PDB file of all heavy atoms in Angstrom:
ATOM      1  N   SER A 684       9.726 -11.870 -11.273  1.00 98.00           N
ATOM      2  CA  SER A 684      10.785 -12.290 -10.339  1.00 98.00           C
ATOM      3  C   SER A 684      12.168 -11.845 -10.780  1.00 98.00           C
ATOM      4  O   SER A 684      13.061 -11.697  -9.946  1.00 98.00           O
ATOM      5  CB  SER A 684      10.755 -13.805 -10.156  1.00 98.00           C
ATOM      6  OG  SER A 684      11.208 -14.455 -11.330  1.00 98.00           O
ATOM      7  N   ILE A 685      12.356 -11.659 -12.076  1.00 98.00           N
ATOM      8  CA  ILE A 685      13.648 -11.171 -12.566  1.00 98.00           C
ATOM      9  C   ILE A 685      13.425 -10.059 -13.580  1.00 98.00           C
ATOM     10  O   ILE A 685      12.333  -9.918 -14.143  1.00 98.00           O
ATOM     11  CB  ILE A 685      14.510 -12.289 -13.219  1.00 98.00           C
ATOM     12  CG1 ILE A 685      13.681 -13.049 -14.274  1.00 98.00           C
ATOM     13  CG2 ILE A 685      15.070 -13.242 -12.186  1.00 98.00           C
ATOM     14  CD1 ILE A 685      14.502 -14.020 -15.110  1.00 98.00           C
ATOM     15  N   ALA A 686      14.473  -9.280 -13.810  1.00 97.00           N
ATOM     16  CA  ALA A 686      14.437  -8.232 -14.833  1.00 97.00           C
ATOM     17  C   ALA A 686      15.744  -8.298 -15.601  1.00 97.00           C
ATOM     18  O   ALA A 686      16.702  -8.961 -15.182  1.00 97.00           O
ATOM     19  CB  ALA A 686      14.261  -6.866 -14.184  1.00 97.00           C
ATOM     20  N   LYS A 687      15.789  -7.607 -16.721  1.00 97.00           N
ATOM     21  CA  LYS A 687      16.986  -7.556 -17.577  1.00 97.00           C
ATOM     22  C   LYS A 687      17.573  -8.941 -17.820  1.00 97.00           C
ATOM     23  O   LYS A 687      18.745  -9.218 -17.500  1.00 97.00           O
ATOM     24  CB  LYS A 687      18.051  -6.635 -16.946  1.00 97.00           C
ATOM     25  CG  LYS A 687      17.486  -5.250 -16.641  1.00 97.00           C
ATOM     26  CD  LYS A 687      18.334  -4.129 -17.145  1.00 97.00           C
ATOM     27  CE  LYS A 687      17.573  -2.829 -16.923  1.00 97.00           C
ATOM     28  NZ  LYS A 687      17.988  -1.700 -17.613  1.00 97.00           N
ATOM     29  N   ASP A 688      16.727  -9.830 -18.348  1.00 97.00           N
ATOM     30  CA  ASP A 688      17.182 -11.178 -18.705  1.00 97.00           C
ATOM     31  C   ASP A 688      17.849 -11.920 -17.551  1.00 97.00           C
ATOM     32  O   ASP A 688      18.783 -12.702 -17.766  1.00 97.00           O
ATOM     33  CB  ASP A 688      18.182 -11.128 -19.879  1.00 97.00           C
ATOM     34  CG  ASP A 688      17.554 -10.509 -21.112  1.00 97.00           C
ATOM     35  OD1 ASP A 688      16.350 -10.757 -21.340  1.00 97.00           O
ATOM     36  OD2 ASP A 688      18.254  -9.763 -21.817  1.00 97.00           O
ATOM     37  N   GLY A 689      17.404 -11.635 -16.353  1.00 98.00           N
ATOM     38  CA  GLY A 689      17.942 -12.370 -15.215  1.00 98.00           C
ATOM     39  C   GLY A 689      19.118 -11.696 -14.536  1.00 98.00           C
ATOM     40  O   GLY A 689      19.620 -12.180 -13.520  1.00 98.00           O
ATOM     41  N   LYS A 690      19.577 -10.584 -15.075  1.00 98.00           N
ATOM     42  CA  LYS A 690      20.699  -9.898 -14.413  1.00 98.00           C
ATOM     43  C   LYS A 690      20.252  -9.307 -13.077  1.00 98.00           C
ATOM     44  O   LYS A 690      21.065  -9.058 -12.190  1.00 98.00           O
ATOM     45  CB  LYS A 690      21.250  -8.797 -15.317  1.00 98.00           C
ATOM     46  CG  LYS A 690      21.879  -9.322 -16.596  1.00 98.00           C
ATOM     47  CD  LYS A 690      22.679  -8.233 -17.295  1.00 98.00           C
ATOM     48  CE  LYS A 690      23.265  -8.747 -18.597  1.00 98.00           C
ATOM     49  NZ  LYS A 690      22.212  -9.001 -19.617  1.00 98.00           N
ATOM     50  N   ILE A 691      18.954  -9.057 -12.951  1.00 98.00           N
ATOM     51  CA  ILE A 691      18.398  -8.491 -11.722  1.00 98.00           C
ATOM     52  C   ILE A 691      17.364  -9.455 -11.160  1.00 98.00           C
ATOM     53  O   ILE A 691      16.488  -9.935 -11.879  1.00 98.00           O
ATOM     54  CB  ILE A 691      17.734  -7.119 -12.002  1.00 98.00           C
ATOM     55  CG1 ILE A 691      18.795  -6.094 -12.405  1.00 98.00           C
ATOM     56  CG2 ILE A 691      16.935  -6.642 -10.798  1.00 98.00           C
ATOM     57  CD1 ILE A 691      18.231  -4.757 -12.840  1.00 98.00           C
ATOM     58  N   SER A 692      17.500  -9.751  -9.885  1.00 98.00           N
ATOM     59  CA  SER A 692      16.444 -10.474  -9.176  1.00 98.00           C
ATOM     60  C   SER A 692      15.578  -9.439  -8.470  1.00 98.00           C
ATOM     61  O   SER A 692      16.087  -8.553  -7.784  1.00 98.00           O
ATOM     62  CB  SER A 692      17.045 -11.428  -8.140  1.00 98.00           C
ATOM     63  OG  SER A 692      16.012 -11.953  -7.322  1.00 98.00           O
ATOM     64  N   SER A 693      14.284  -9.552  -8.630  1.00 98.00           N
ATOM     65  CA  SER A 693      13.394  -8.604  -7.955  1.00 98.00           C
ATOM     66  C   SER A 693      13.195  -8.963  -6.490  1.00 98.00           C
ATOM     67  O   SER A 693      12.618  -8.192  -5.735  1.00 98.00           O
ATOM     68  CB  SER A 693      12.029  -8.574  -8.646  1.00 98.00           C
ATOM     69  OG  SER A 693      12.184  -8.317 -10.016  1.00 98.00           O
ATOM     70  N   ILE A 694      13.667 -10.144  -6.113  1.00 98.00           N
ATOM     71  CA  ILE A 694      13.641 -10.521  -4.693  1.00 98.00           C
ATOM     72  C   ILE A 694      15.085 -10.501  -4.212  1.00 98.00           C
ATOM     73  O   ILE A 694      15.949 -11.172  -4.787  1.00 98.00           O
ATOM     74  CB  ILE A 694      13.010 -11.904  -4.479  1.00 98.00           C
ATOM     75  CG1 ILE A 694      11.542 -11.868  -4.907  1.00 98.00           C
ATOM     76  CG2 ILE A 694      13.077 -12.299  -2.997  1.00 98.00           C
ATOM     77  CD1 ILE A 694      11.276 -12.391  -6.275  1.00 98.00           C
ATOM     78  N   VAL A 695      15.341  -9.693  -3.204  1.00 98.00           N
ATOM     79  CA  VAL A 695      16.709  -9.454  -2.735  1.00 98.00           C
ATOM     80  C   VAL A 695      16.782  -9.710  -1.232  1.00 98.00           C
ATOM     81  O   VAL A 695      15.752  -9.810  -0.563  1.00 98.00           O
ATOM     82  CB  VAL A 695      17.135  -7.998  -3.059  1.00 98.00           C
ATOM     83  CG1 VAL A 695      17.279  -7.795  -4.564  1.00 98.00           C
ATOM     84  CG2 VAL A 695      16.152  -6.987  -2.464  1.00 98.00           C
ATOM     85  N   PRO A 696      18.006  -9.802  -0.680  1.00 98.00           N
ATOM     86  CA  PRO A 696      18.105 -10.025   0.768  1.00 98.00           C
ATOM     87  C   PRO A 696      17.492  -8.869   1.576  1.00 98.00           C
ATOM     88  O   PRO A 696      16.792  -9.094   2.559  1.00 98.00           O
ATOM     89  CB  PRO A 696      19.617 -10.112   1.013  1.00 98.00           C
ATOM     90  CG  PRO A 696      20.198 -10.530  -0.297  1.00 98.00           C
ATOM     91  CD  PRO A 696      19.327  -9.890  -1.340  1.00 98.00           C
ATOM     92  N   PHE A 697      17.757  -7.644   1.127  1.00 98.00           N
ATOM     93  CA  PHE A 697      17.318  -6.460   1.884  1.00 98.00           C
ATOM     94  C   PHE A 697      17.000  -5.417   0.815  1.00 98.00           C
ATOM     95  O   PHE A 697      17.868  -5.070   0.017  1.00 98.00           O
ATOM     96  CB  PHE A 697      18.468  -5.978   2.775  1.00 98.00           C
ATOM     97  CG  PHE A 697      18.104  -5.060   3.906  1.00 98.00           C
ATOM     98  CD1 PHE A 697      18.387  -5.403   5.229  1.00 98.00           C
ATOM     99  CD2 PHE A 697      17.505  -3.830   3.669  1.00 98.00           C
ATOM    100  CE1 PHE A 697      18.065  -4.550   6.299  1.00 98.00           C
ATOM    101  CE2 PHE A 697      17.187  -2.971   4.720  1.00 98.00           C
ATOM    102  CZ  PHE A 697      17.464  -3.339   6.033  1.00 98.00           C
ATOM    103  N   VAL A 698      15.773  -4.939   0.762  1.00 98.00           N
ATOM    104  CA  VAL A 698      15.455  -3.965  -0.282  1.00 98.00           C
ATOM    105  C   VAL A 698      16.270  -2.700  -0.073  1.00 98.00           C
ATOM    106  O   VAL A 698      16.520  -2.272   1.059  1.00 98.00           O
ATOM    107  CB  VAL A 698      13.949  -3.615  -0.348  1.00 98.00           C
ATOM    108  CG1 VAL A 698      13.170  -4.722  -1.020  1.00 98.00           C
ATOM    109  CG2 VAL A 698      13.381  -3.284   1.014  1.00 98.00           C
ATOM    110  N   SER A 699      16.662  -2.097  -1.180  1.00 98.00           N
ATOM    111  CA  SER A 699      17.586  -0.962  -1.118  1.00 98.00           C
ATOM    112  C   SER A 699      16.869   0.354  -0.784  1.00 98.00           C
ATOM    113  O   SER A 699      17.516   1.377  -0.585  1.00 98.00           O
ATOM    114  CB  SER A 699      18.324  -0.851  -2.457  1.00 98.00           C
ATOM    115  OG  SER A 699      17.392  -0.736  -3.525  1.00 98.00           O
ATOM    116  N   HIS A 700      15.577   0.305  -0.711  1.00 98.00           N
ATOM    117  CA  HIS A 700      14.758   1.444  -0.252  1.00 98.00           C
ATOM    118  C   HIS A 700      13.450   0.831   0.202  1.00 98.00           C
ATOM    119  O   HIS A 700      12.981  -0.123  -0.408  1.00 98.00           O
ATOM    120  CB  HIS A 700      14.513   2.445  -1.392  1.00 98.00           C
ATOM    121  CG  HIS A 700      13.768   3.666  -0.972  1.00 98.00           C
ATOM    122  ND1 HIS A 700      14.399   4.796  -0.501  1.00 98.00           N
ATOM    123  CD2 HIS A 700      12.443   3.942  -0.918  1.00 98.00           C
ATOM    124  CE1 HIS A 700      13.509   5.711  -0.195  1.00 98.00           C
ATOM    125  NE2 HIS A 700      12.305   5.220  -0.435  1.00 98.00           N
ATOM    126  N   ILE A 701      12.883   1.339   1.275  1.00 98.00           N
ATOM    127  CA  ILE A 701      11.623   0.733   1.734  1.00 98.00           C
ATOM    128  C   ILE A 701      10.484   1.742   1.630  1.00 98.00           C
ATOM    129  O   ILE A 701      10.535   2.812   2.243  1.00 98.00           O
ATOM    130  CB  ILE A 701      11.721   0.189   3.172  1.00 98.00           C
ATOM    131  CG1 ILE A 701      12.796  -0.898   3.241  1.00 98.00           C
ATOM    132  CG2 ILE A 701      10.371  -0.380   3.628  1.00 98.00           C
ATOM    133  CD1 ILE A 701      12.824  -1.680   4.542  1.00 98.00           C
ATOM    134  N   ASP A 702       9.490   1.389   0.848  1.00 98.00           N
ATOM    135  CA  ASP A 702       8.277   2.202   0.783  1.00 98.00           C
ATOM    136  C   ASP A 702       7.127   1.565   1.546  1.00 98.00           C
ATOM    137  O   ASP A 702       6.231   2.262   2.014  1.00 98.00           O
ATOM    138  CB  ASP A 702       7.868   2.403  -0.678  1.00 98.00           C
ATOM    139  CG  ASP A 702       8.900   3.210  -1.433  1.00 98.00           C
ATOM    140  OD1 ASP A 702       9.030   4.402  -1.126  1.00 98.00           O
ATOM    141  OD2 ASP A 702       9.606   2.648  -2.282  1.00 98.00           O
ATOM    142  N   HIS A 703       7.156   0.237   1.635  1.00 98.00           N
ATOM    143  CA  HIS A 703       6.099  -0.495   2.332  1.00 98.00           C
ATOM    144  C   HIS A 703       6.779  -1.499   3.239  1.00 98.00           C
ATOM    145  O   HIS A 703       7.498  -2.377   2.758  1.00 98.00           O
ATOM    146  CB  HIS A 703       5.180  -1.196   1.336  1.00 98.00           C
ATOM    147  CG  HIS A 703       4.709  -0.270   0.252  1.00 98.00           C
ATOM    148  ND1 HIS A 703       3.786   0.713   0.485  1.00 98.00           N
ATOM    149  CD2 HIS A 703       5.079  -0.126  -1.034  1.00 98.00           C
ATOM    150  CE1 HIS A 703       3.592   1.412  -0.627  1.00 98.00           C
ATOM    151  NE2 HIS A 703       4.378   0.923  -1.561  1.00 98.00           N
ATOM    152  N   THR A 704       6.564  -1.364   4.533  1.00 98.00           N
ATOM    153  CA  THR A 704       7.269  -2.238   5.464  1.00 98.00           C
ATOM    154  C   THR A 704       6.571  -3.591   5.550  1.00 98.00           C
ATOM    155  O   THR A 704       5.422  -3.748   5.139  1.00 98.00           O
ATOM    156  CB  THR A 704       7.342  -1.618   6.874  1.00 98.00           C
ATOM    157  OG1 THR A 704       6.067  -1.763   7.513  1.00 98.00           O
ATOM    158  CG2 THR A 704       7.717  -0.151   6.810  1.00 98.00           C
ATOM    159  N   GLU A 705       7.295  -4.533   6.108  1.00 97.00           N
ATOM    160  CA  GLU A 705       6.766  -5.881   6.335  1.00 97.00           C
ATOM    161  C   GLU A 705       5.402  -5.868   7.025  1.00 97.00           C
ATOM    162  O   GLU A 705       4.642  -6.823   6.920  1.00 97.00           O
ATOM    163  CB  GLU A 705       7.763  -6.670   7.188  1.00 97.00           C
ATOM    164  CG  GLU A 705       8.219  -5.883   8.425  1.00 97.00           C
ATOM    165  CD  GLU A 705       8.661  -6.762   9.592  1.00 97.00           C
ATOM    166  OE1 GLU A 705       8.339  -7.939   9.622  1.00 97.00           O
ATOM    167  OE2 GLU A 705       9.318  -6.213  10.501  1.00 97.00           O
ATOM    168  N   HIS A 706       5.110  -4.774   7.754  1.00 96.00           N
ATOM    169  CA  HIS A 706       3.839  -4.712   8.490  1.00 96.00           C
ATOM    170  C   HIS A 706       2.656  -4.453   7.568  1.00 96.00           C
ATOM    171  O   HIS A 706       1.508  -4.607   7.981  1.00 96.00           O
ATOM    172  CB  HIS A 706       3.895  -3.600   9.535  1.00 96.00           C
ATOM    173  CG  HIS A 706       5.086  -3.676  10.432  1.00 96.00           C
ATOM    174  ND1 HIS A 706       5.202  -4.600  11.436  1.00 96.00           N
ATOM    175  CD2 HIS A 706       6.230  -2.959  10.470  1.00 96.00           C
ATOM    176  CE1 HIS A 706       6.365  -4.443  12.054  1.00 96.00           C
ATOM    177  NE2 HIS A 706       7.011  -3.458  11.489  1.00 96.00           N
ATOM    178  N   ASP A 707       2.938  -3.970   6.364  1.00 97.00           N
ATOM    179  CA  ASP A 707       1.859  -3.544   5.464  1.00 97.00           C
ATOM    180  C   ASP A 707       1.733  -4.423   4.234  1.00 97.00           C
ATOM    181  O   ASP A 707       0.872  -4.179   3.392  1.00 97.00           O
ATOM    182  CB  ASP A 707       2.114  -2.100   4.991  1.00 97.00           C
ATOM    183  CG  ASP A 707       2.093  -1.122   6.152  1.00 97.00           C
ATOM    184  OD1 ASP A 707       1.512  -1.464   7.194  1.00 97.00           O
ATOM    185  OD2 ASP A 707       2.667  -0.031   6.017  1.00 97.00           O
ATOM    186  N   VAL A 708       2.609  -5.384   4.108  1.00 98.00           N
ATOM    187  CA  VAL A 708       2.633  -6.213   2.904  1.00 98.00           C
ATOM    188  C   VAL A 708       2.050  -7.582   3.253  1.00 98.00           C
ATOM    189  O   VAL A 708       2.628  -8.347   4.013  1.00 98.00           O
ATOM    190  CB  VAL A 708       4.073  -6.339   2.363  1.00 98.00           C
ATOM    191  CG1 VAL A 708       4.112  -7.246   1.152  1.00 98.00           C
ATOM    192  CG2 VAL A 708       4.637  -4.962   2.048  1.00 98.00           C
ATOM    193  N   ASP A 709       0.898  -7.881   2.708  1.00 98.00           N
ATOM    194  CA  ASP A 709       0.212  -9.126   3.052  1.00 98.00           C
ATOM    195  C   ASP A 709       0.565 -10.263   2.111  1.00 98.00           C
ATOM    196  O   ASP A 709       0.760 -11.395   2.553  1.00 98.00           O
ATOM    197  CB  ASP A 709      -1.303  -8.910   3.032  1.00 98.00           C
ATOM    198  CG  ASP A 709      -1.766  -7.964   4.122  1.00 98.00           C
ATOM    199  OD1 ASP A 709      -1.257  -8.088   5.245  1.00 98.00           O
ATOM    200  OD2 ASP A 709      -2.615  -7.098   3.856  1.00 98.00           O
ATOM    201  N   VAL A 710       0.604  -9.964   0.828  1.00 98.00           N
ATOM    202  CA  VAL A 710       0.808 -11.016  -0.168  1.00 98.00           C
ATOM    203  C   VAL A 710       1.745 -10.486  -1.260  1.00 98.00           C
ATOM    204  O   VAL A 710       1.599  -9.335  -1.688  1.00 98.00           O
ATOM    205  CB  VAL A 710      -0.537 -11.434  -0.811  1.00 98.00           C
ATOM    206  CG1 VAL A 710      -0.334 -12.523  -1.864  1.00 98.00           C
ATOM    207  CG2 VAL A 710      -1.528 -11.899   0.254  1.00 98.00           C
ATOM    208  N   VAL A 711       2.709 -11.291  -1.664  1.00 98.00           N
ATOM    209  CA  VAL A 711       3.568 -10.935  -2.801  1.00 98.00           C
ATOM    210  C   VAL A 711       3.378 -11.963  -3.908  1.00 98.00           C
ATOM    211  O   VAL A 711       3.210 -13.164  -3.634  1.00 98.00           O
ATOM    212  CB  VAL A 711       5.060 -10.832  -2.399  1.00 98.00           C
ATOM    213  CG1 VAL A 711       5.323  -9.551  -1.610  1.00 98.00           C
ATOM    214  CG2 VAL A 711       5.500 -12.044  -1.589  1.00 98.00           C
ATOM    215  N   VAL A 712       3.378 -11.465  -5.133  1.00 97.00           N
ATOM    216  CA  VAL A 712       3.083 -12.320  -6.283  1.00 97.00           C
ATOM    217  C   VAL A 712       4.124 -12.084  -7.377  1.00 97.00           C
ATOM    218  O   VAL A 712       4.427 -10.934  -7.709  1.00 97.00           O
ATOM    219  CB  VAL A 712       1.689 -12.002  -6.870  1.00 97.00           C
ATOM    220  CG1 VAL A 712       1.347 -12.976  -8.003  1.00 97.00           C
ATOM    221  CG2 VAL A 712       0.606 -12.017  -5.808  1.00 97.00           C
ATOM    222  N   THR A 713       4.684 -13.164  -7.899  1.00 97.00           N
ATOM    223  CA  THR A 713       5.494 -13.079  -9.123  1.00 97.00           C
ATOM    224  C   THR A 713       4.950 -14.112 -10.108  1.00 97.00           C
ATOM    225  O   THR A 713       3.981 -14.819  -9.794  1.00 97.00           O
ATOM    226  CB  THR A 713       6.990 -13.382  -8.866  1.00 97.00           C
ATOM    227  OG1 THR A 713       7.126 -14.782  -8.583  1.00 97.00           O
ATOM    228  CG2 THR A 713       7.549 -12.563  -7.723  1.00 97.00           C
ATOM    229  N   GLU A 714       5.596 -14.235 -11.245  1.00 97.00           N
ATOM    230  CA  GLU A 714       5.147 -15.257 -12.198  1.00 97.00           C
ATOM    231  C   GLU A 714       5.449 -16.659 -11.672  1.00 97.00           C
ATOM    232  O   GLU A 714       4.915 -17.649 -12.196  1.00 97.00           O
ATOM    233  CB  GLU A 714       5.787 -15.024 -13.584  1.00 97.00           C
ATOM    234  CG  GLU A 714       7.185 -15.581 -13.757  1.00 97.00           C
ATOM    235  CD  GLU A 714       8.231 -14.809 -12.957  1.00 97.00           C
ATOM    236  OE1 GLU A 714       7.922 -13.697 -12.469  1.00 97.00           O
ATOM    237  OE2 GLU A 714       9.359 -15.320 -12.792  1.00 97.00           O
ATOM    238  N   GLN A 715       6.283 -16.746 -10.610  1.00 98.00           N
ATOM    239  CA  GLN A 715       6.579 -18.054 -10.026  1.00 98.00           C
ATOM    240  C   GLN A 715       5.453 -18.547  -9.122  1.00 98.00           C
ATOM    241  O   GLN A 715       5.247 -19.757  -8.993  1.00 98.00           O
ATOM    242  CB  GLN A 715       7.882 -17.984  -9.217  1.00 98.00           C
ATOM    243  CG  GLN A 715       9.107 -17.602 -10.031  1.00 98.00           C
ATOM    244  CD  GLN A 715       9.505 -18.665 -11.032  1.00 98.00           C
ATOM    245  OE1 GLN A 715       9.456 -19.858 -10.730  1.00 98.00           O
ATOM    246  NE2 GLN A 715       9.859 -18.254 -12.244  1.00 98.00           N
ATOM    247  N   GLY A 716       4.772 -17.621  -8.474  1.00 98.00           N
ATOM    248  CA  GLY A 716       3.722 -18.006  -7.536  1.00 98.00           C
ATOM    249  C   GLY A 716       3.453 -16.879  -6.558  1.00 98.00           C
ATOM    250  O   GLY A 716       3.904 -15.743  -6.760  1.00 98.00           O
ATOM    251  N   TYR A 717       2.717 -17.185  -5.515  1.00 98.00           N
ATOM    252  CA  TYR A 717       2.450 -16.150  -4.497  1.00 98.00           C
ATOM    253  C   TYR A 717       2.843 -16.635  -3.120  1.00 98.00           C
ATOM    254  O   TYR A 717       2.921 -17.847  -2.873  1.00 98.00           O
ATOM    255  CB  TYR A 717       0.977 -15.707  -4.521  1.00 98.00           C
ATOM    256  CG  TYR A 717      -0.016 -16.699  -3.953  1.00 98.00           C
ATOM    257  CD1 TYR A 717      -0.269 -16.762  -2.578  1.00 98.00           C
ATOM    258  CD2 TYR A 717      -0.716 -17.563  -4.780  1.00 98.00           C
ATOM    259  CE1 TYR A 717      -1.190 -17.664  -2.060  1.00 98.00           C
ATOM    260  CE2 TYR A 717      -1.638 -18.481  -4.273  1.00 98.00           C
ATOM    261  CZ  TYR A 717      -1.871 -18.525  -2.906  1.00 98.00           C
ATOM    262  OH  TYR A 717      -2.766 -19.425  -2.395  1.00 98.00           O
ATOM    263  N   ALA A 718       3.126 -15.676  -2.231  1.00 98.00           N
ATOM    264  CA  ALA A 718       3.404 -15.985  -0.829  1.00 98.00           C
ATOM    265  C   ALA A 718       2.469 -15.149   0.025  1.00 98.00           C
ATOM    266  O   ALA A 718       2.446 -13.925  -0.078  1.00 98.00           O
ATOM    267  CB  ALA A 718       4.866 -15.674  -0.492  1.00 98.00           C
ATOM    268  N   ASP A 719       1.675 -15.822   0.833  1.00 98.00           N
ATOM    269  CA  ASP A 719       0.756 -15.157   1.756  1.00 98.00           C
ATOM    270  C   ASP A 719       1.496 -14.980   3.082  1.00 98.00           C
ATOM    271  O   ASP A 719       1.739 -15.947   3.797  1.00 98.00           O
ATOM    272  CB  ASP A 719      -0.487 -16.027   1.918  1.00 98.00           C
ATOM    273  CG  ASP A 719      -1.489 -15.441   2.905  1.00 98.00           C
ATOM    274  OD1 ASP A 719      -1.231 -14.354   3.470  1.00 98.00           O
ATOM    275  OD2 ASP A 719      -2.540 -16.082   3.118  1.00 98.00           O
TER     276      ASP A 719
END
Side-chain angles (χ1 to χ4, degrees):
Chain A
S684 71
I685 51 171
K687 306 229 173 197
D688 300 323
K690 295 193 182 69
I691 293 174
S692 171
S693 306
I694 296 98
V695 292
F697 198 121
V698 283
S699 56
H700 184 89
I701 299 190
D702 295 292
H703 310 287
T704 77
E705 49 154 342
H706 308 286
D707 297 339
V708 177
D709 294 318
V710 179
V711 285
V712 184
T713 71
E714 83 289 347
Q715 299 292 320
Y717 73 84
D719 178 0

